[in-house]
């Protein structure tokens, strides 16, 4: 619950202050209301000893997308931020991106499927990208 509360509070902060992540206020419409934080699902996974990933599944309502998936790697080697805009058609692959801050955004793979299969695919995509340079 604490992890989920952290994500919900961060989302609310983002909606109230989009400039914190480099957006202008007119780029974010708080009244869009396309998700319900009570429906979100968050969990933590151990990748390797000392390395953890926090995953968040954010269902989207009234949209052509099914959900947003967010993954954050916490490690002494450095952190990593990943996300995916999941298509409603589970047979259609959805791109996974890594946000590298000042270095930009990079496509690192794609995922498809539903439920645990989908989340495992997303986690594996993150791990493959994150550890490819170590």
């Amino acid at each position: 619950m604490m992890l989920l509360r952290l994500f919900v509070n961060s989302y609310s902060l983002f909606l109230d202050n989009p400039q914190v992540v480099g957006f202008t206020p007119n780029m974010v419409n708080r009244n869009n209301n396309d998700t319900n934080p009570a429906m979100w699902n968050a969990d933590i996974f151990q990748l390797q000893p000392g390395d953890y990933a926090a995953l968040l599944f954010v269902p989207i309502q009234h949209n052509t997308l099914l959900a947003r998936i967010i993954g954050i790697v916490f490690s002494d080697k450095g952190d990593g931020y990943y996300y995916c805009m999941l298509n409603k058609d589970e047979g259609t692959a959805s791109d996974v991106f890594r946000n590298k801050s000042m270095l930009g955004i990079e496509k690192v793979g794609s995922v498809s499927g539903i439920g645990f299969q989908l989340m495992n695919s997303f986690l594996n995509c993150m791990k493959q990208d994150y550890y490819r340079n170590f």
Side-chain angles (χ1 to χ4, degrees):
M1 283 306 288
M2 289 177 57
L3 177 62
L4 185 57
R5 190 175 306 124
L6 173 68
F7 278 122
V8 170
N9 289 340
S10 297
Y11 180 69
S12 181
L13 176 68
F14 165 71
L15 291 177
D16 292 338
N17 301 290
Q19 66 276 10
V20 170
V21 293
F23 286 29
T24 60
N26 64 344
M27 293 172 74
V28 176
N29 181 359
R30 185 176 187 84
N31 298 321
N32 194 10
N33 224 10
D34 69 349
T35 188
N36 177 358
M39 303 297 293
W40 295 6
N41 187 357
D43 210 343
I44 295 178
F45 299 88
Q46 183 173 3
L47 303 178
Q48 289 183 358
D51 297 346
Y52 297 90
L55 296 187
L56 176 66
F57 185 83
V58 178
I60 300 174
Q61 304 162 349
H62 321 295
N63 200 313
T64 58
L65 299 171
L66 177 66
R68 297 174 186 99
I69 305 173
I70 300 164
I72 304 171
V73 176
F74 299 97
S75 170
D76 290 340
K77 300 175 194 77
D79 301 330
Y81 176 76
Y82 297 83
Y83 66 93
C84 175
M85 303 300 277
L86 189 63
N87 294 310
K88 279 193 176 180
D89 177 5
E90 65 263 8
T92 302
S94 301
D95 293 335
V96 176
F97 296 93
R98 182 173 185 181
N99 186 331
K100 295 183 166 186
S101 189
M102 299 298 280
L103 299 176
I105 296 170
E106 175 184 3
K107 179 182 170 188
V108 297
S110 60
V111 296
S112 60
I114 57 174
F116 288 117
Q117 175 191 18
L118 170 68
M119 294 309 280
N120 282 334
S121 293
F122 183 77
L123 186 62
N124 287 334
C125 187
M126 284 176 51
K127 286 194 293 192
Q128 286 175 352
D129 176 71
Y130 185 77
Y131 290 116
R132 73 179 164 168
N133 295 320
F134 297 110

mmCIF file of all heavy atoms in Angstrom, residues 52-77:
data_model
loop_
_atom_site.group_PDB
_atom_site.id
_atom_site.type_symbol
_atom_site.label_atom_id
_atom_site.label_comp_id
_atom_site.label_asym_id
_atom_site.label_seq_id
_atom_site.Cartn_x
_atom_site.Cartn_y
_atom_site.Cartn_z
ATOM 1 N N TYR A 52 16.258 -3.654 -7.409
ATOM 2 C CA TYR A 52 14.815 -3.860 -7.316
ATOM 3 C C TYR A 52 14.109 -3.075 -8.407
ATOM 4 O O TYR A 52 14.605 -2.058 -8.878
ATOM 5 C CB TYR A 52 14.295 -3.411 -5.948
ATOM 6 C CG TYR A 52 14.874 -4.219 -4.823
ATOM 7 C CD1 TYR A 52 16.054 -3.833 -4.210
ATOM 8 C CD2 TYR A 52 14.252 -5.390 -4.408
ATOM 9 C CE1 TYR A 52 16.613 -4.595 -3.195
ATOM 10 C CE2 TYR A 52 14.798 -6.157 -3.389
ATOM 11 C CZ TYR A 52 15.977 -5.751 -2.787
ATOM 12 O OH TYR A 52 16.522 -6.521 -1.791
ATOM 13 N N ALA A 53 12.932 -3.567 -8.784
ATOM 14 C CA ALA A 53 12.084 -2.857 -9.740
ATOM 15 C C ALA A 53 10.709 -2.669 -9.125
ATOM 16 O O ALA A 53 10.124 -3.613 -8.582
ATOM 17 C CB ALA A 53 11.967 -3.642 -11.040
ATOM 18 N N ALA A 54 10.210 -1.454 -9.186
ATOM 19 C CA ALA A 54 8.841 -1.151 -8.781
ATOM 20 C C ALA A 54 8.025 -1.046 -10.063
ATOM 21 O O ALA A 54 8.388 -0.301 -10.973
ATOM 22 C CB ALA A 54 8.794 0.155 -8.003
ATOM 23 N N LEU A 55 6.938 -1.839 -10.153
ATOM 24 C CA LEU A 55 6.083 -1.817 -11.330
ATOM 25 C C LEU A 55 4.722 -1.257 -10.968
ATOM 26 O O LEU A 55 4.198 -1.525 -9.884
ATOM 27 C CB LEU A 55 5.891 -3.222 -11.903
ATOM 28 C CG LEU A 55 7.113 -3.933 -12.448
ATOM 29 C CD1 LEU A 55 6.700 -5.241 -13.117
ATOM 30 C CD2 LEU A 55 7.867 -3.065 -13.433
ATOM 31 N N LEU A 56 4.153 -0.502 -11.887
ATOM 32 C CA LEU A 56 2.835 0.086 -11.697
ATOM 33 C C LEU A 56 2.010 -0.149 -12.954
ATOM 34 O O LEU A 56 2.441 0.168 -14.065
ATOM 35 C CB LEU A 56 2.943 1.590 -11.437
ATOM 36 C CG LEU A 56 1.630 2.351 -11.303
ATOM 37 C CD1 LEU A 56 0.857 1.903 -10.061
ATOM 38 C CD2 LEU A 56 1.884 3.847 -11.249
ATOM 39 N N PHE A 57 0.816 -0.722 -12.780
ATOM 40 C CA PHE A 57 -0.128 -0.947 -13.864
ATOM 41 C C PHE A 57 -1.265 0.047 -13.682
ATOM 42 O O PHE A 57 -1.938 0.047 -12.654
ATOM 43 C CB PHE A 57 -0.650 -2.389 -13.817
ATOM 44 C CG PHE A 57 -1.540 -2.750 -14.962
ATOM 45 C CD1 PHE A 57 -1.000 -3.140 -16.173
ATOM 46 C CD2 PHE A 57 -2.918 -2.712 -14.823
ATOM 47 C CE1 PHE A 57 -1.821 -3.492 -17.239
ATOM 48 C CE2 PHE A 57 -3.747 -3.059 -15.878
ATOM 49 C CZ PHE A 57 -3.199 -3.451 -17.085
ATOM 50 N N VAL A 58 -1.463 0.918 -14.669
ATOM 51 C CA VAL A 58 -2.443 2.000 -14.596
ATOM 52 C C VAL A 58 -3.498 1.797 -15.688
ATOM 53 O O VAL A 58 -3.265 2.155 -16.850
ATOM 54 C CB VAL A 58 -1.765 3.373 -14.774
ATOM 55 C CG1 VAL A 58 -2.786 4.496 -14.745
ATOM 56 C CG2 VAL A 58 -0.681 3.584 -13.734
ATOM 57 N N PRO A 59 -4.653 1.203 -15.365
ATOM 58 C CA PRO A 59 -5.709 1.051 -16.376
ATOM 59 C C PRO A 59 -6.206 2.412 -16.850
ATOM 60 O O PRO A 59 -6.292 3.362 -16.072
ATOM 61 C CB PRO A 59 -6.827 0.316 -15.631
ATOM 62 C CG PRO A 59 -6.183 -0.289 -14.439
ATOM 63 C CD PRO A 59 -5.033 0.604 -14.087
ATOM 64 N N ILE A 60 -6.504 2.495 -18.143
ATOM 65 C CA ILE A 60 -7.002 3.731 -18.746
ATOM 66 C C ILE A 60 -8.458 3.519 -19.139
ATOM 67 O O ILE A 60 -8.813 2.490 -19.711
ATOM 68 C CB ILE A 60 -6.169 4.124 -19.975
ATOM 69 C CG1 ILE A 60 -4.712 4.349 -19.586
ATOM 70 C CG2 ILE A 60 -6.751 5.354 -20.651
ATOM 71 C CD1 ILE A 60 -3.803 4.610 -20.762
ATOM 72 N N GLN A 61 -9.271 4.490 -18.840
ATOM 73 C CA GLN A 61 -10.687 4.434 -19.191
ATOM 74 C C GLN A 61 -10.951 5.343 -20.370
ATOM 75 O O GLN A 61 -10.315 6.381 -20.517
ATOM 76 C CB GLN A 61 -11.537 4.904 -18.006
ATOM 77 C CG GLN A 61 -11.271 4.134 -16.734
ATOM 78 C CD GLN A 61 -11.778 4.866 -15.494
ATOM 79 O OE1 GLN A 61 -12.143 6.028 -15.540
ATOM 80 N NE2 GLN A 61 -11.772 4.161 -14.374
ATOM 81 N N HIS A 62 -11.897 4.970 -21.232
ATOM 82 C CA HIS A 62 -12.359 5.826 -22.325
ATOM 83 C C HIS A 62 -11.233 6.218 -23.272
ATOM 84 O O HIS A 62 -11.062 7.380 -23.592
ATOM 85 C CB HIS A 62 -13.022 7.101 -21.799
ATOM 86 C CG HIS A 62 -13.867 6.905 -20.596
ATOM 87 N ND1 HIS A 62 -15.017 6.148 -20.602
ATOM 88 C CD2 HIS A 62 -13.738 7.327 -19.323
ATOM 89 C CE1 HIS A 62 -15.550 6.128 -19.411
ATOM 90 N NE2 HIS A 62 -14.795 6.833 -18.603
ATOM 91 N N ASN A 63 -10.461 5.257 -23.720
ATOM 92 C CA ASN A 63 -9.320 5.555 -24.567
ATOM 93 C C ASN A 63 -9.072 4.372 -25.481
ATOM 94 O O ASN A 63 -9.586 3.283 -25.256
ATOM 95 C CB ASN A 63 -8.091 5.836 -23.688
ATOM 96 C CG ASN A 63 -7.006 6.609 -24.407
ATOM 97 O OD1 ASN A 63 -6.651 6.286 -25.530
ATOM 98 N ND2 ASN A 63 -6.479 7.632 -23.765
ATOM 99 N N THR A 64 -8.226 4.557 -26.486
ATOM 100 C CA THR A 64 -7.857 3.458 -27.374
ATOM 101 C C THR A 64 -6.781 2.576 -26.753
ATOM 102 O O THR A 64 -6.463 1.530 -27.280
ATOM 103 C CB THR A 64 -7.352 3.987 -28.728
ATOM 104 O OG1 THR A 64 -6.240 4.849 -28.486
ATOM 105 C CG2 THR A 64 -8.449 4.740 -29.455
ATOM 106 N N LEU A 65 -6.226 3.010 -25.628
ATOM 107 C CA LEU A 65 -5.221 2.227 -24.918
ATOM 108 C C LEU A 65 -5.861 1.502 -23.749
ATOM 109 O O LEU A 65 -6.848 1.953 -23.182
ATOM 110 C CB LEU A 65 -4.106 3.138 -24.402
ATOM 111 C CG LEU A 65 -3.330 3.906 -25.466
ATOM 112 C CD1 LEU A 65 -2.423 4.934 -24.811
ATOM 113 C CD2 LEU A 65 -2.521 2.956 -26.320
ATOM 114 N N LEU A 66 -5.273 0.369 -23.364
ATOM 115 C CA LEU A 66 -5.765 -0.388 -22.218
ATOM 116 C C LEU A 66 -5.194 0.158 -20.913
ATOM 117 O O LEU A 66 -5.901 0.305 -19.927
ATOM 118 C CB LEU A 66 -5.400 -1.867 -22.361
ATOM 119 C CG LEU A 66 -5.796 -2.771 -21.210
ATOM 120 C CD1 LEU A 66 -7.317 -2.856 -21.125
ATOM 121 C CD2 LEU A 66 -5.198 -4.148 -21.389
ATOM 122 N N ALA A 67 -3.872 0.455 -20.939
ATOM 123 C CA ALA A 67 -3.213 0.858 -19.693
ATOM 124 C C ALA A 67 -1.867 1.497 -19.988
ATOM 125 O O ALA A 67 -1.337 1.401 -21.090
ATOM 126 C CB ALA A 67 -3.010 -0.357 -18.797
ATOM 127 N N ARG A 68 -1.337 2.117 -18.949
ATOM 128 C CA ARG A 68 0.055 2.550 -18.928
ATOM 129 C C ARG A 68 0.764 1.606 -17.962
ATOM 130 O O ARG A 68 0.221 1.269 -16.914
ATOM 131 C CB ARG A 68 0.182 3.977 -18.400
ATOM 132 C CG ARG A 68 -0.497 5.023 -19.228
ATOM 133 C CD ARG A 68 -0.421 6.394 -18.523
ATOM 134 N NE ARG A 68 -1.190 7.383 -19.227
ATOM 135 C CZ ARG A 68 -2.425 7.761 -18.896
ATOM 136 N NH1 ARG A 68 -3.022 7.232 -17.847
ATOM 137 N NH2 ARG A 68 -3.064 8.658 -19.594
ATOM 138 N N ILE A 69 1.966 1.200 -18.320
ATOM 139 C CA ILE A 69 2.780 0.398 -17.410
ATOM 140 C C ILE A 69 4.045 1.188 -17.144
ATOM 141 O O ILE A 69 4.686 1.679 -18.072
ATOM 142 C CB ILE A 69 3.135 -0.975 -18.000
ATOM 143 C CG1 ILE A 69 1.878 -1.732 -18.419
ATOM 144 C CG2 ILE A 69 3.930 -1.801 -16.987
ATOM 145 C CD1 ILE A 69 2.164 -3.016 -19.160
ATOM 146 N N ILE A 70 4.392 1.309 -15.882
ATOM 147 C CA ILE A 70 5.579 2.063 -15.485
ATOM 148 C C ILE A 70 6.467 1.142 -14.664
ATOM 149 O O ILE A 70 5.977 0.414 -13.792
ATOM 150 C CB ILE A 70 5.182 3.300 -14.655
ATOM 151 C CG1 ILE A 70 4.280 4.211 -15.491
ATOM 152 C CG2 ILE A 70 6.414 4.045 -14.146
ATOM 153 C CD1 ILE A 70 3.520 5.230 -14.699
ATOM 154 N N GLY A 71 7.755 1.176 -14.923
ATOM 155 C CA GLY A 71 8.717 0.391 -14.157
ATOM 156 C C GLY A 71 9.912 1.250 -13.794
ATOM 157 O O GLY A 71 10.448 1.963 -14.642
ATOM 158 N N ILE A 72 10.311 1.172 -12.540
ATOM 159 C CA ILE A 72 11.459 1.944 -12.075
ATOM 160 C C ILE A 72 12.449 0.986 -11.428
ATOM 161 O O ILE A 72 12.084 0.243 -10.510
ATOM 162 C CB ILE A 72 11.045 3.030 -11.063
ATOM 163 C CG1 ILE A 72 9.982 3.947 -11.665
ATOM 164 C CG2 ILE A 72 12.270 3.836 -10.614
ATOM 165 C CD1 ILE A 72 9.364 4.901 -10.678
ATOM 166 N N VAL A 73 13.683 0.995 -11.918
ATOM 167 C CA VAL A 73 14.752 0.173 -11.352
ATOM 168 C C VAL A 73 15.508 1.009 -10.335
ATOM 169 O O VAL A 73 15.905 2.136 -10.632
ATOM 170 C CB VAL A 73 15.721 -0.338 -12.443
ATOM 171 C CG1 VAL A 73 16.870 -1.112 -11.821
ATOM 172 C CG2 VAL A 73 14.983 -1.181 -13.472
ATOM 173 N N PHE A 74 15.692 0.449 -9.148
ATOM 174 C CA PHE A 74 16.478 1.079 -8.084
ATOM 175 C C PHE A 74 17.705 0.216 -7.848
ATOM 176 O O PHE A 74 17.580 -0.957 -7.510
ATOM 177 C CB PHE A 74 15.664 1.178 -6.784
ATOM 178 C CG PHE A 74 14.419 2.002 -6.923
ATOM 179 C CD1 PHE A 74 13.195 1.395 -7.164
ATOM 180 C CD2 PHE A 74 14.466 3.380 -6.823
ATOM 181 C CE1 PHE A 74 12.042 2.147 -7.293
ATOM 182 C CE2 PHE A 74 13.316 4.145 -6.951
ATOM 183 C CZ PHE A 74 12.099 3.527 -7.187
ATOM 184 N N SER A 75 18.896 0.798 -8.021
ATOM 185 C CA SER A 75 20.120 0.020 -7.907
ATOM 186 C C SER A 75 21.289 0.935 -7.558
ATOM 187 O O SER A 75 21.274 2.127 -7.888
ATOM 188 C CB SER A 75 20.403 -0.674 -9.242
ATOM 189 O OG SER A 75 21.682 -1.241 -9.262
ATOM 190 N N ASP A 76 22.314 0.360 -6.937
ATOM 191 C CA ASP A 76 23.547 1.098 -6.698
ATOM 192 C C ASP A 76 24.263 1.407 -8.007
ATOM 193 O O ASP A 76 25.095 2.309 -8.062
ATOM 194 C CB ASP A 76 24.475 0.299 -5.787
ATOM 195 C CG ASP A 76 23.954 0.216 -4.368
ATOM 196 O OD1 ASP A 76 23.111 1.063 -3.977
ATOM 197 O OD2 ASP A 76 24.366 -0.710 -3.629
ATOM 198 N N LYS A 77 23.949 0.651 -9.074
ATOM 199 C CA LYS A 77 24.562 0.864 -10.383
ATOM 200 C C LYS A 77 23.949 2.061 -11.107
ATOM 201 O O LYS A 77 24.439 2.493 -12.133
ATOM 202 C CB LYS A 77 24.373 -0.386 -11.241
ATOM 203 C CG LYS A 77 24.989 -1.647 -10.689
ATOM 204 C CD LYS A 77 24.599 -2.826 -11.592
ATOM 205 C CE LYS A 77 24.874 -4.149 -10.967
ATOM 206 N NZ LYS A 77 23.910 -4.547 -9.953
#
